[in-house]
Amino acid sequence: MAPTDYELVIIGGGPAGLTAGIYAARAKMDVIMYEKAALGGQVIVSDWIENYPGFPDGISGYDLGEKMLAQAKNLGLPIEIEDVTGIEVDGEKKIVHLGNNRSVTTKAIIIATGASPKKLNVGESNFMGKGVSFCATCDGPFFRDKTVVAVGGGDTAVQESLFLTRFVKKLYLVHRRDELRATKILQERASKNDKIEFVWDSVVSGMDGFFSVENVRVKNLKTGEERSIKAEGCFIWIGINPNTSFLGRTLNLDDGGFIYTNGNMETSVPGVFAAGDVRTTPLKQIVTAVGDAAIAVMSAEHYIENL
Ligand SMILES: Cc1cc2nc3c(=O)[nH]c(=O)nc-3n(C[C@H](O)[C@H](O)[C@H](O)COP(=O)(O)OP(=O)(O)OC[C@H]3O[C@@H](n4cnc5c(N)ncnc54)[C@H](O)[C@@H]3O)c2cc1C
């Protein structure tokens, strides 16, 4: 085949992308990684990671992201801060379009663009940075001695709410069911925490305020009753959406927009692989993202060898 700029392009610099970079750099592949925002991905906004092996006392998400990045850099992974705006497949050659009207060619691509927090769509866009947040680590200290509402019932919602209680006076945890989905250990910690009051069977239906959030409206799904909670902040952890809009129709996606892969992380297009939160997978965690990435690099190497 005609020469390409790279053997492998990795898109996204979260745990999956950095792990792919570590494996590819160690294998001396001609590789580059593009990250559009902050290296480390979602991990760097996670307060505390207790379920990633190797850190018996846990580790802050920021530190874990920094360590992964340092490891990738030490192994010589070239990294550029660039928004990937599209990919094109021209037979065996793949073209990766970048935000500055530049494009590069490559033999294989690993998509590790992860996911972004889901929105409630109840008017929170008017209050972004004015009381609405998706990141306790980033914004928690701004809510010292204040009352906040948090939304969600999974591990992330509970873990991050617990972190927020270091700062806030009171936290209402609004969840659409009458019990949490989070793991038992987190449930126990939350129910023992005096600052947390659960608002069961409820959703946030709106928020009001002049310059910033002053009231969060909460609707009980069983009774239909709506009430206003006086709160200066609203933290939203109701799940994630995949970062796949830049792909257009190039690959097969599931109904939620996540990329279908097989166990070898192969997508519907030969030579294009996906790893981590961006793909259809039952568990979206750091440990699964890094495992996916190692497999994706192995598959990319096999693909390139057989061209
Ligand atoms: C608050 C919070 C707490 C969490 N706590 C835990 C925990 O305790 N334990 C655990 O295992 N997991 C936890 N997670 C989940 C974990 O962070 C994710 O599963 C993991 O980060 C997924 O890694 P990833 O590399 O697939 O995706 P991401 O971390 O989402 O990284 C994707 C990267 O791709 C970049 N990107 C996206 N689109 C483009 C593009 N077009 N061009 C270039 N770059 C692009 C993004 O900017 C991002 O940096 C938590 C998540 C959050 C939000």
mmCIF file of all heavy atoms in Angstrom, residues 11-17 34-38 40-43 45-46 48-49 51 82-84 112-115 156 160 237 243 246 275-277 284-287 289, ligand 1:
data_model
loop_
_atom_site.group_PDB
_atom_site.id
_atom_site.type_symbol
_atom_site.label_atom_id
_atom_site.label_comp_id
_atom_site.label_asym_id
_atom_site.label_seq_id
_atom_site.Cartn_x
_atom_site.Cartn_y
_atom_site.Cartn_z
ATOM 1 N N ILE A 11 -6.949 8.205 18.984
ATOM 2 C CA ILE A 11 -7.766 9.417 19.179
ATOM 3 C C ILE A 11 -8.319 9.401 20.603
ATOM 4 O O ILE A 11 -9.094 8.521 20.966
ATOM 5 C CB ILE A 11 -8.917 9.493 18.160
ATOM 6 C CG1 ILE A 11 -8.412 9.249 16.734
ATOM 7 C CG2 ILE A 11 -9.610 10.851 18.246
ATOM 8 C CD1 ILE A 11 -9.523 9.166 15.686
ATOM 9 N N GLY A 12 -7.887 10.364 21.394
ATOM 10 C CA GLY A 12 -8.347 10.465 22.792
ATOM 11 C C GLY A 12 -7.234 10.120 23.759
ATOM 12 O O GLY A 12 -6.515 9.127 23.566
ATOM 13 N N GLY A 13 -7.086 10.963 24.798
ATOM 14 C CA GLY A 13 -5.982 10.786 25.750
ATOM 15 C C GLY A 13 -6.455 10.506 27.159
ATOM 16 O O GLY A 13 -5.876 10.977 28.133
ATOM 17 N N GLY A 14 -7.529 9.710 27.295
ATOM 18 C CA GLY A 14 -7.963 9.232 28.621
ATOM 19 C C GLY A 14 -7.223 7.930 28.950
ATOM 20 O O GLY A 14 -6.223 7.587 28.295
ATOM 21 N N PRO A 15 -7.688 7.187 29.942
ATOM 22 C CA PRO A 15 -7.021 5.931 30.303
ATOM 23 C C PRO A 15 -6.867 4.966 29.120
ATOM 24 O O PRO A 15 -5.815 4.339 28.970
ATOM 25 C CB PRO A 15 -7.945 5.342 31.364
ATOM 26 C CG PRO A 15 -8.617 6.516 31.965
ATOM 27 C CD PRO A 15 -8.780 7.508 30.871
ATOM 28 N N ALA A 16 -7.901 4.861 28.278
ATOM 29 C CA ALA A 16 -7.804 3.940 27.138
ATOM 30 C C ALA A 16 -6.749 4.431 26.152
ATOM 31 O O ALA A 16 -5.868 3.673 25.726
ATOM 32 C CB ALA A 16 -9.165 3.787 26.456
ATOM 33 N N GLY A 17 -6.821 5.713 25.788
ATOM 34 C CA GLY A 17 -5.869 6.259 24.812
ATOM 35 C C GLY A 17 -4.444 6.196 25.334
ATOM 36 O O GLY A 17 -3.517 5.812 24.600
ATOM 37 N N TYR A 34 -3.819 11.938 19.531
ATOM 38 C CA TYR A 34 -4.443 13.269 19.535
ATOM 39 C C TYR A 34 -5.432 13.355 20.683
ATOM 40 O O TYR A 34 -6.290 12.489 20.841
ATOM 41 C CB TYR A 34 -5.183 13.529 18.211
ATOM 42 C CG TYR A 34 -4.263 13.602 17.023
ATOM 43 C CD1 TYR A 34 -4.319 12.640 16.019
ATOM 44 C CD2 TYR A 34 -3.335 14.635 16.913
ATOM 45 C CE1 TYR A 34 -3.470 12.706 14.922
ATOM 46 C CE2 TYR A 34 -2.474 14.709 15.823
ATOM 47 C CZ TYR A 34 -2.553 13.741 14.837
ATOM 48 O OH TYR A 34 -1.703 13.809 13.762
ATOM 49 N N GLU A 35 -5.314 14.410 21.473
ATOM 50 C CA GLU A 35 -6.268 14.667 22.569
ATOM 51 C C GLU A 35 -6.759 16.098 22.392
ATOM 52 O O GLU A 35 -5.968 17.013 22.205
ATOM 53 C CB GLU A 35 -5.576 14.484 23.927
ATOM 54 C CG GLU A 35 -6.294 15.109 25.110
ATOM 55 C CD GLU A 35 -7.723 14.625 25.325
ATOM 56 O OE1 GLU A 35 -7.943 13.406 25.393
ATOM 57 O OE2 GLU A 35 -8.622 15.494 25.418
ATOM 58 N N LYS A 36 -8.090 16.272 22.487
ATOM 59 C CA LYS A 36 -8.610 17.614 22.186
ATOM 60 C C LYS A 36 -8.669 18.532 23.403
ATOM 61 O O LYS A 36 -8.761 19.738 23.259
ATOM 62 C CB LYS A 36 -9.991 17.516 21.554
ATOM 63 C CG LYS A 36 -11.099 17.128 22.500
ATOM 64 C CD LYS A 36 -12.440 17.313 21.812
ATOM 65 C CE LYS A 36 -13.566 16.895 22.731
ATOM 66 N NZ LYS A 36 -14.865 16.982 22.092
ATOM 67 N N ALA A 37 -8.648 17.952 24.591
ATOM 68 C CA ALA A 37 -8.814 18.814 25.780
ATOM 69 C C ALA A 37 -7.733 18.483 26.801
ATOM 70 O O ALA A 37 -6.562 18.743 26.572
ATOM 71 C CB ALA A 37 -10.212 18.633 26.346
ATOM 72 N N ALA A 38 -8.148 17.875 27.926
ATOM 73 C CA ALA A 38 -7.179 17.623 28.991
ATOM 74 C C ALA A 38 -6.718 16.179 28.971
ATOM 75 O O ALA A 38 -7.548 15.257 29.003
ATOM 76 C CB ALA A 38 -7.806 17.941 30.342
ATOM 77 N N GLY A 40 -5.700 12.701 30.201
ATOM 78 C CA GLY A 40 -6.158 11.987 31.398
ATOM 79 C C GLY A 40 -7.641 11.661 31.330
ATOM 80 O O GLY A 40 -8.115 10.758 31.986
ATOM 81 N N GLY A 41 -8.388 12.421 30.527
ATOM 82 C CA GLY A 41 -9.810 12.127 30.326
ATOM 83 C C GLY A 41 -10.642 12.325 31.582
ATOM 84 O O GLY A 41 -10.323 13.147 32.444
ATOM 85 N N GLN A 42 -11.708 11.529 31.689
ATOM 86 C CA GLN A 42 -12.640 11.679 32.821
ATOM 87 C C GLN A 42 -11.970 11.441 34.167
ATOM 88 O O GLN A 42 -12.430 11.930 35.191
ATOM 89 C CB GLN A 42 -13.783 10.668 32.705
ATOM 90 C CG GLN A 42 -14.728 10.880 31.552
ATOM 91 C CD GLN A 42 -15.684 9.710 31.449
ATOM 92 O OE1 GLN A 42 -16.556 9.531 32.266
ATOM 93 N NE2 GLN A 42 -15.505 8.886 30.428
ATOM 94 N N VAL A 43 -10.890 10.673 34.149
ATOM 95 C CA VAL A 43 -10.243 10.315 35.412
ATOM 96 C C VAL A 43 -9.817 11.550 36.200
ATOM 97 O O VAL A 43 -9.920 11.585 37.424
ATOM 98 C CB VAL A 43 -9.013 9.419 35.125
ATOM 99 C CG1 VAL A 43 -8.151 9.263 36.342
ATOM 100 C CG2 VAL A 43 -9.484 8.080 34.654
ATOM 101 N N VAL A 45 -11.148 14.285 36.606
ATOM 102 C CA VAL A 45 -12.187 14.976 37.383
ATOM 103 C C VAL A 45 -12.797 14.056 38.443
ATOM 104 O O VAL A 45 -13.755 14.418 39.105
ATOM 105 C CB VAL A 45 -13.314 15.564 36.490
ATOM 106 C CG1 VAL A 45 -12.738 16.529 35.472
ATOM 107 C CG2 VAL A 45 -14.144 14.482 35.822
ATOM 108 N N SER A 46 -12.235 12.867 38.598
ATOM 109 C CA SER A 46 -12.740 11.944 39.620
ATOM 110 C C SER A 46 -11.988 12.221 40.917
ATOM 111 O O SER A 46 -10.764 12.325 40.911
ATOM 112 C CB SER A 46 -12.487 10.494 39.230
ATOM 113 O OG SER A 46 -12.723 10.321 37.866
ATOM 114 N N TRP A 48 -11.643 10.355 43.902
ATOM 115 C CA TRP A 48 -10.831 9.335 44.532
ATOM 116 C C TRP A 48 -11.127 7.992 43.879
ATOM 117 O O TRP A 48 -12.286 7.637 43.713
ATOM 118 C CB TRP A 48 -11.151 9.275 46.032
ATOM 119 C CG TRP A 48 -10.120 8.576 46.844
ATOM 120 C CD1 TRP A 48 -10.264 7.380 47.483
ATOM 121 C CD2 TRP A 48 -8.780 9.006 47.101
ATOM 122 N NE1 TRP A 48 -9.096 7.050 48.120
ATOM 123 C CE2 TRP A 48 -8.164 8.028 47.909
ATOM 124 C CE3 TRP A 48 -8.037 10.124 46.711
ATOM 125 C CZ2 TRP A 48 -6.850 8.144 48.339
ATOM 126 C CZ3 TRP A 48 -6.719 10.235 47.139
ATOM 127 C CH2 TRP A 48 -6.145 9.255 47.949
ATOM 128 N N ILE A 49 -10.091 7.265 43.496
ATOM 129 C CA ILE A 49 -10.276 5.973 42.823
ATOM 130 C C ILE A 49 -9.859 4.875 43.798
ATOM 131 O O ILE A 49 -8.695 4.808 44.200
ATOM 132 C CB ILE A 49 -9.396 5.882 41.550
ATOM 133 C CG1 ILE A 49 -9.559 7.117 40.653
ATOM 134 C CG2 ILE A 49 -9.659 4.594 40.798
ATOM 135 C CD1 ILE A 49 -10.850 7.262 39.951
ATOM 136 N N ASN A 51 -10.939 1.510 43.180
ATOM 137 C CA ASN A 51 -11.123 0.184 42.584
ATOM 138 C C ASN A 51 -10.164 -0.081 41.433
ATOM 139 O O ASN A 51 -10.405 -0.955 40.617
ATOM 140 C CB ASN A 51 -12.582 0.001 42.128
ATOM 141 C CG ASN A 51 -13.019 1.104 41.171
ATOM 142 O OD1 ASN A 51 -12.212 1.956 40.807
ATOM 143 N ND2 ASN A 51 -14.268 1.078 40.772
ATOM 144 N N GLU A 82 -5.073 18.239 19.777
ATOM 145 C CA GLU A 82 -5.808 18.499 18.536
ATOM 146 C C GLU A 82 -7.188 17.870 18.645
ATOM 147 O O GLU A 82 -7.330 16.755 19.150
ATOM 148 C CB GLU A 82 -5.119 17.822 17.340
ATOM 149 C CG GLU A 82 -3.878 18.486 16.835
ATOM 150 C CD GLU A 82 -4.151 19.754 16.057
ATOM 151 O OE1 GLU A 82 -5.335 20.130 15.918
ATOM 152 O OE2 GLU A 82 -3.177 20.364 15.611
ATOM 153 N N ASP A 83 -8.174 18.554 18.128
ATOM 154 C CA ASP A 83 -9.528 18.009 18.049
ATOM 155 C C ASP A 83 -9.619 17.196 16.751
ATOM 156 O O ASP A 83 -9.346 17.729 15.678
ATOM 157 C CB ASP A 83 -10.508 19.186 18.019
ATOM 158 C CG ASP A 83 -11.943 18.743 18.089
ATOM 159 O OD1 ASP A 83 -12.185 17.542 18.266
ATOM 160 O OD2 ASP A 83 -12.819 19.620 17.976
ATOM 161 N N VAL A 84 -9.947 15.922 16.870
ATOM 162 C CA VAL A 84 -10.162 15.131 15.650
ATOM 163 C C VAL A 84 -11.605 15.361 15.214
ATOM 164 O O VAL A 84 -12.550 15.134 15.975
ATOM 165 C CB VAL A 84 -9.873 13.633 15.895
ATOM 166 C CG1 VAL A 84 -10.277 12.805 14.680
ATOM 167 C CG2 VAL A 84 -8.394 13.439 16.196
ATOM 168 N N ALA A 112 -10.502 6.166 21.091
ATOM 169 C CA ALA A 112 -10.597 6.078 22.565
ATOM 170 C C ALA A 112 -11.118 7.416 23.084
ATOM 171 O O ALA A 112 -10.556 7.997 24.005
ATOM 172 C CB ALA A 112 -9.221 5.744 23.150
ATOM 173 N N THR A 113 -12.198 7.873 22.451
ATOM 174 C CA THR A 113 -12.680 9.235 22.737
ATOM 175 C C THR A 113 -13.639 9.288 23.924
ATOM 176 O O THR A 113 -14.161 10.361 24.249
ATOM 177 C CB THR A 113 -13.347 9.846 21.486
ATOM 178 O OG1 THR A 113 -14.253 8.881 20.933
ATOM 179 C CG2 THR A 113 -12.318 10.215 20.447
ATOM 180 N N GLY A 114 -13.908 8.152 24.556
ATOM 181 C CA GLY A 114 -14.632 8.149 25.818
ATOM 182 C C GLY A 114 -16.033 8.717 25.741
ATOM 183 O O GLY A 114 -16.744 8.571 24.739
ATOM 184 N N ALA A 115 -16.394 9.388 26.810
ATOM 185 C CA ALA A 115 -17.773 9.839 26.937
ATOM 186 C C ALA A 115 -17.828 11.133 27.731
ATOM 187 O O ALA A 115 -16.872 11.507 28.400
ATOM 188 C CB ALA A 115 -18.584 8.753 27.638
ATOM 189 N N THR A 156 -20.717 6.801 40.607
ATOM 190 C CA THR A 156 -20.140 8.138 40.443
ATOM 191 C C THR A 156 -20.896 9.149 41.278
ATOM 192 O O THR A 156 -20.304 9.957 42.004
ATOM 193 C CB THR A 156 -20.154 8.533 38.944
ATOM 194 O OG1 THR A 156 -19.327 7.611 38.240
ATOM 195 C CG2 THR A 156 -19.629 9.932 38.723
ATOM 196 N N GLU A 160 -18.981 10.936 44.382
ATOM 197 C CA GLU A 160 -18.729 12.378 44.258
ATOM 198 C C GLU A 160 -19.530 13.167 45.297
ATOM 199 O O GLU A 160 -19.076 14.182 45.806
ATOM 200 C CB GLU A 160 -19.062 12.849 42.834
ATOM 201 C CG GLU A 160 -18.246 12.162 41.745
ATOM 202 C CD GLU A 160 -16.746 12.347 41.902
ATOM 203 O OE1 GLU A 160 -16.277 13.490 41.896
ATOM 204 O OE2 GLU A 160 -16.027 11.326 42.032
ATOM 205 N N TRP A 237 -24.953 13.734 37.864
ATOM 206 C CA TRP A 237 -24.231 12.500 37.537
ATOM 207 C C TRP A 237 -25.235 11.422 37.158
ATOM 208 O O TRP A 237 -25.521 10.510 37.934
ATOM 209 C CB TRP A 237 -23.389 12.037 38.729
ATOM 210 C CG TRP A 237 -22.284 12.982 39.062
ATOM 211 C CD1 TRP A 237 -21.210 13.296 38.287
ATOM 212 C CD2 TRP A 237 -22.133 13.753 40.267
ATOM 213 N NE1 TRP A 237 -20.403 14.198 38.931
ATOM 214 C CE2 TRP A 237 -20.947 14.493 40.145
ATOM 215 C CE3 TRP A 237 -22.882 13.872 41.447
ATOM 216 C CZ2 TRP A 237 -20.488 15.347 41.141
ATOM 217 C CZ3 TRP A 237 -22.432 14.729 42.433
ATOM 218 C CH2 TRP A 237 -21.247 15.454 42.281
ATOM 219 N N ASN A 243 -18.579 10.055 22.952
ATOM 220 C CA ASN A 243 -18.045 11.113 22.082
ATOM 221 C C ASN A 243 -17.799 10.527 20.694
ATOM 222 O O ASN A 243 -16.664 10.204 20.326
ATOM 223 C CB ASN A 243 -16.743 11.667 22.672
ATOM 224 C CG ASN A 243 -16.975 12.349 24.001
ATOM 225 O OD1 ASN A 243 -17.995 13.011 24.203
ATOM 226 N ND2 ASN A 243 -16.044 12.195 24.924
ATOM 227 N N PHE A 246 -18.218 12.949 15.857
ATOM 228 C CA PHE A 246 -17.261 13.247 14.786
ATOM 229 C C PHE A 246 -17.131 12.104 13.777
ATOM 230 O O PHE A 246 -16.559 12.275 12.708
ATOM 231 C CB PHE A 246 -15.876 13.590 15.376
ATOM 232 C CG PHE A 246 -15.149 12.403 15.958
ATOM 233 C CD1 PHE A 246 -14.123 11.766 15.255
ATOM 234 C CD2 PHE A 246 -15.497 11.914 17.200
ATOM 235 C CE1 PHE A 246 -13.460 10.677 15.773
ATOM 236 C CE2 PHE A 246 -14.837 10.815 17.746
ATOM 237 C CZ PHE A 246 -13.828 10.193 17.032
ATOM 238 N N ALA A 275 -11.757 1.434 21.976
ATOM 239 C CA ALA A 275 -11.446 0.957 23.334
ATOM 240 C C ALA A 275 -12.017 1.922 24.359
ATOM 241 O O ALA A 275 -12.071 3.129 24.132
ATOM 242 C CB ALA A 275 -9.920 0.870 23.507
ATOM 243 N N GLY A 276 -12.475 1.368 25.477
ATOM 244 C CA GLY A 276 -12.895 2.194 26.602
ATOM 245 C C GLY A 276 -14.369 2.568 26.565
ATOM 246 O O GLY A 276 -15.194 1.896 25.957
ATOM 247 N N ASP A 277 -14.680 3.665 27.237
ATOM 248 C CA ASP A 277 -16.083 4.081 27.422
ATOM 249 C C ASP A 277 -16.810 4.341 26.112
ATOM 250 O O ASP A 277 -18.045 4.353 26.090
ATOM 251 C CB ASP A 277 -16.132 5.374 28.258
ATOM 252 C CG ASP A 277 -16.000 5.118 29.740
ATOM 253 O OD1 ASP A 277 -15.591 4.004 30.117
ATOM 254 O OD2 ASP A 277 -16.290 6.035 30.528
ATOM 255 N N LYS A 284 -18.208 0.409 32.297
ATOM 256 C CA LYS A 284 -17.386 1.534 31.847
ATOM 257 C C LYS A 284 -16.571 2.031 33.036
ATOM 258 O O LYS A 284 -17.027 2.839 33.844
ATOM 259 C CB LYS A 284 -18.280 2.617 31.264
ATOM 260 C CG LYS A 284 -18.945 2.146 29.967
ATOM 261 C CD LYS A 284 -19.841 3.172 29.382
ATOM 262 C CE LYS A 284 -20.337 2.809 27.995
ATOM 263 N NZ LYS A 284 -20.744 1.452 27.741
ATOM 264 N N GLN A 285 -15.373 1.531 33.138
ATOM 265 C CA GLN A 285 -14.486 1.833 34.254
ATOM 266 C C GLN A 285 -13.061 1.973 33.720
ATOM 267 O O GLN A 285 -12.778 1.628 32.575
ATOM 268 C CB GLN A 285 -14.528 0.679 35.270
ATOM 269 C CG GLN A 285 -15.854 0.582 36.009
ATOM 270 C CD GLN A 285 -15.902 1.493 37.227
ATOM 271 O OE1 GLN A 285 -15.427 1.159 38.280
ATOM 272 N NE2 GLN A 285 -16.486 2.665 37.085
ATOM 273 N N ILE A 286 -12.162 2.413 34.601
ATOM 274 C CA ILE A 286 -10.769 2.590 34.182
ATOM 275 C C ILE A 286 -10.158 1.233 33.840
ATOM 276 O O ILE A 286 -9.474 1.062 32.825
ATOM 277 C CB ILE A 286 -9.948 3.272 35.292
ATOM 278 C CG1 ILE A 286 -10.602 4.594 35.675
ATOM 279 C CG2 ILE A 286 -8.515 3.496 34.853
ATOM 280 C CD1 ILE A 286 -10.147 5.140 37.002
ATOM 281 N N VAL A 287 -10.429 0.277 34.702
ATOM 282 C CA VAL A 287 -9.798 -1.035 34.534
ATOM 283 C C VAL A 287 -10.241 -1.711 33.224
ATOM 284 O O VAL A 287 -9.433 -2.391 32.562
ATOM 285 C CB VAL A 287 -10.071 -1.885 35.796
ATOM 286 C CG1 VAL A 287 -11.464 -2.432 35.826
ATOM 287 C CG2 VAL A 287 -9.064 -2.977 35.984
ATOM 288 N N ALA A 289 -11.320 0.028 30.537
ATOM 289 C CA ALA A 289 -10.802 0.874 29.450
ATOM 290 C C ALA A 289 -9.353 0.505 29.121
ATOM 291 O O ALA A 289 -8.977 0.379 27.954
ATOM 292 C CB ALA A 289 -10.903 2.347 29.841
HETATM 293 C C1 LIG B 1 -16.720 11.795 38.337
HETATM 294 C C2 LIG B 1 -16.272 10.443 37.846
HETATM 295 C C3 LIG B 1 -15.827 9.486 38.744
HETATM 296 C C4 LIG B 1 -15.389 8.232 38.286
HETATM 297 N N1 LIG B 1 -14.928 7.330 39.193
HETATM 298 C C5 LIG B 1 -14.418 6.149 38.760
HETATM 299 C C6 LIG B 1 -13.864 5.201 39.666
HETATM 300 O O1 LIG B 1 -13.837 5.422 40.884
HETATM 301 N N2 LIG B 1 -13.346 4.042 39.171
HETATM 302 C C7 LIG B 1 -13.342 3.760 37.829
HETATM 303 O O2 LIG B 1 -12.837 2.715 37.423
HETATM 304 N N3 LIG B 1 -13.893 4.621 36.940
HETATM 305 C C8 LIG B 1 -14.431 5.796 37.364
HETATM 306 N N4 LIG B 1 -14.978 6.678 36.471
HETATM 307 C C9 LIG B 1 -15.087 6.258 35.060
HETATM 308 C C10 LIG B 1 -13.745 6.387 34.330
HETATM 309 O O3 LIG B 1 -13.243 7.695 34.506
HETATM 310 C C11 LIG B 1 -13.943 6.065 32.852
HETATM 311 O O4 LIG B 1 -14.458 4.767 32.716
HETATM 312 C C12 LIG B 1 -12.615 6.159 32.088
HETATM 313 O O5 LIG B 1 -12.078 7.463 32.197
HETATM 314 C C13 LIG B 1 -12.819 5.834 30.612
HETATM 315 O O6 LIG B 1 -11.619 6.061 29.933
HETATM 316 P P1 LIG B 1 -11.591 6.359 28.368
HETATM 317 O O7 LIG B 1 -10.178 6.600 28.021
HETATM 318 O O8 LIG B 1 -12.355 5.315 27.663
HETATM 319 O O9 LIG B 1 -12.445 7.692 28.168
HETATM 320 P P2 LIG B 1 -12.289 9.167 28.772
HETATM 321 O O10 LIG B 1 -11.716 9.151 30.125
HETATM 322 O O11 LIG B 1 -13.642 9.782 28.555
HETATM 323 O O12 LIG B 1 -11.228 9.869 27.814
HETATM 324 C C14 LIG B 1 -11.537 10.186 26.482
HETATM 325 C C15 LIG B 1 -10.649 11.327 26.017
HETATM 326 O O13 LIG B 1 -10.868 11.530 24.618
HETATM 327 C C16 LIG B 1 -10.867 12.910 24.352
HETATM 328 N N5 LIG B 1 -11.621 13.183 23.118
HETATM 329 C C17 LIG B 1 -12.960 13.064 22.931
HETATM 330 N N6 LIG B 1 -13.295 13.372 21.659
HETATM 331 C C18 LIG B 1 -12.119 13.689 21.033
HETATM 332 C C19 LIG B 1 -11.811 14.103 19.711
HETATM 333 N N7 LIG B 1 -12.764 14.237 18.759
HETATM 334 N N8 LIG B 1 -10.517 14.372 19.396
HETATM 335 C C20 LIG B 1 -9.527 14.228 20.324
HETATM 336 N N9 LIG B 1 -9.773 13.843 21.611
HETATM 337 C C21 LIG B 1 -11.054 13.569 21.950
HETATM 338 C C22 LIG B 1 -11.530 13.525 25.579
HETATM 339 O O14 LIG B 1 -11.206 14.905 25.724
HETATM 340 C C23 LIG B 1 -10.962 12.653 26.697
HETATM 341 O O15 LIG B 1 -9.774 13.190 27.237
HETATM 342 C C24 LIG B 1 -15.418 7.933 36.899
HETATM 343 C C25 LIG B 1 -15.876 8.905 35.993
HETATM 344 C C26 LIG B 1 -16.287 10.146 36.453
HETATM 345 C C27 LIG B 1 -16.771 11.185 35.461
#
